[in-house]
Amino acid sequence: MERGRFLLVYAFGCTGCGETSVDMWAKVLSNQKEVTGVLVVHAEESRLQEEIKRRGWHIPVIADDGSIAKVLSPRFSPQAFGFARGRLVWIQETPGTPEKDLFTEFCNRQGKGYG
């Protein structure tokens, strides 16, 4: 696999609709060595730290005040964004696809530019 690949998964929150998918992304990304994964959650840092402990996530998790959402413009939650060599190369287009399948789709994208 190509080095320098990064998968960011943006979530509007940790509970409610999409909660299971956020947990699955954390699991899928924690088992990867070829791709760096991070969860970005629209939440207050203190509340997010409680969720990280409660859920046992073992990947980087970043609290967003809305700044990252303004740049990425996620259409649903959670939504994955893939980068390679500093360029956006893949965006999850639809919700509901199994996370492992989405991860494979991103990995198969190789270094191609998005769009």
Side-chain angles (χ1 to χ4, degrees):
M1 271 197 194
E2 174 187 337
R3 310 256 300 136
R5 296 185 341 140
F6 179 78
L7 190 63
L8 181 151
V9 177
Y10 193 93
F12 297 135
C14 297
T15 60
C17 199
E19 178 177 4
T20 302
S21 185
V22 173
D23 284 335
M24 284 303 299
W25 271 119
K27 183 177 180 179
V28 167
L29 294 173
S30 69
N31 293 324
Q32 302 307 315
K33 294 192 182 2
E34 299 88 359
V35 174
T36 300
V38 65
L39 291 177
V40 178
V41 181
H42 188 266
E44 293 179 19
E45 182 71 33
S46 60
R47 296 190 86 202
L48 186 56
Q49 291 304 318
E50 292 171 15
E51 284 296 317
I52 292 168
K53 283 183 184 178
R54 187 174 75 78
R55 294 171 185 270
W57 291 340
H58 298 289
I59 65 168
V61 182
I62 297 170
D64 180 38
D65 63 1
S67 303
I68 297 171
K70 284 182 185 178
V71 173
L72 294 176
S73 299
R75 296 187 325 240
F76 51 87
S77 178
Q79 185 175 13
F81 298 84
F83 298 84
R85 296 178 302 221
R87 291 181 35 216
L88 180 64
V89 297
W90 177 83
I91 298 175
Q92 177 186 354
E93 296 295 333
T94 57
T97 304
E99 292 75 13
K100 286 184 179 184
D101 294 347
L102 291 167
F103 183 81
T104 299
E105 182 181 320
F106 165 62
C107 290
N108 289 339
R109 184 74 187 173
Q110 293 301 319
K112 302 171 187 168
Y114 184 77

